[in-house]
Amino acid sequence: MYVPPSMQLERARAWDLIERHGFAVLVGADLQATHLPLLLERSEGEQGTLYGHFARANPHWRTLDGSRALAIFSGPHAYISPTWYASQPAVPTWNYLAVHATGTLELLGTAATRELLDRSLAHFEPALLDSLPREPGYLEKMQAGVVGFRLPIETLAGKAKLGRQRSEADQAGVEAALAESRDPQARQLWRYMQQLTYEESTS
């Protein structure tokens, strides 16, 4: 991913985006791709480690053990009209946030996969853990249908294309238009821009 220095997300903000927008695209060297949620463990390794699981019926996992893979996370994004800028002439563009994480994928054993399933339920729907059927073999049957994996992150690239290189007047015009948009993605992008400005002003 091309990331100009002015658009680079520092590691902590890249981690934040992964945790908020964890539904990723996982791509292997053969260019097969699987869409799946990933969990980030920040404390494992310098760049963190990603955890997830495939449906066992998905043949993609068979090609990935011990191979390099790329996980792509997409944050909020929106079309930017040139009419929103104070300075003219201008051209239309698209603003967005994204993170790319690469590493060598490792399949998990039975015990680690079971732990991952518990962590996934605790993350996405903790109340469900208490209501799962407890008859013998239920969880084992559920686990038999998946293949767990971990991806220690070797390279982490975060990009925030927000037009921050433009004048304050241009940025204000974009923010005003995004704030009034009916598109949820546009409003989410505006909220991220507001948060970024606040964090920088208080740091």
Side-chain angles (χ1 to χ4, degrees), residues 122-164:
H123 179 78
F124 293 110
E125 192 175 2
L128 189 59
L129 280 172
D130 297 326
S131 61
L132 287 174
R134 293 301 174 183
E135 62 264 22
Y138 176 80
L139 291 176
E140 287 75 12
K141 289 180 181 178
M142 181 173 68
Q143 181 175 336
V146 303
V147 177
F149 67 88
R150 66 192 295 264
L151 186 72
I153 300 173
E154 298 168 9
T155 65
L156 184 67
K159 183 174 182 177
K161 183 180 179 298
L162 302 174
R164 307 191 78 211

Side-chain angles (χ1 to χ4, degrees), residues 79-85 87-95 161 166:
Y79 171 79
I80 306 299
S81 170
T83 63
W84 300 344
Y85 296 134
S87 56
Q88 296 295 329
V91 297
T93 190
W94 206 279
N95 284 359
K161 183 180 179 298
R166 302 192 68 93

Side-chain angles (χ1 to χ4, degrees), residues 43-168:
S43 63
E44 290 188 23
E46 183 178 350
Q47 305 284 3
T49 297
L50 298 170
Y51 284 86
H53 64 269
F54 292 96
R56 187 171 292 275
N58 180 353
H60 192 193
W61 65 268
R62 299 181 184 276
T63 70
L64 287 175
D65 190 25
S67 299
R68 287 184 60 76
L70 164 68
I72 302 172
F73 300 87
S74 296
H77 57 88
Y79 171 79
I80 306 299
S81 170
T83 63
W84 300 344
Y85 296 134
S87 56
Q88 296 295 329
V91 297
T93 190
W94 206 279
N95 284 359
Y96 61 90
L97 292 123
V99 171
H100 288 193
T102 65
T104 300
L105 188 140
E106 306 166 7
L107 297 183
L108 299 177
T110 301
T113 297
R114 172 62 181 274
E115 181 183 350
L116 171 61
L117 292 178
D118 288 343
R119 286 175 54 199
S120 297
L121 287 173
H123 179 78
F124 293 110
E125 192 175 2
L128 189 59
L129 280 172
D130 297 326
S131 61
L132 287 174
R134 293 301 174 183
E135 62 264 22
Y138 176 80
L139 291 176
E140 287 75 12
K141 289 180 181 178
M142 181 173 68
Q143 181 175 336
V146 303
V147 177
F149 67 88
R150 66 192 295 264
L151 186 72
I153 300 173
E154 298 168 9
T155 65
L156 184 67
K159 183 174 182 177
K161 183 180 179 298
L162 302 174
R164 307 191 78 211
Q165 78 283 2
R166 302 192 68 93
S167 68
E168 291 186 6

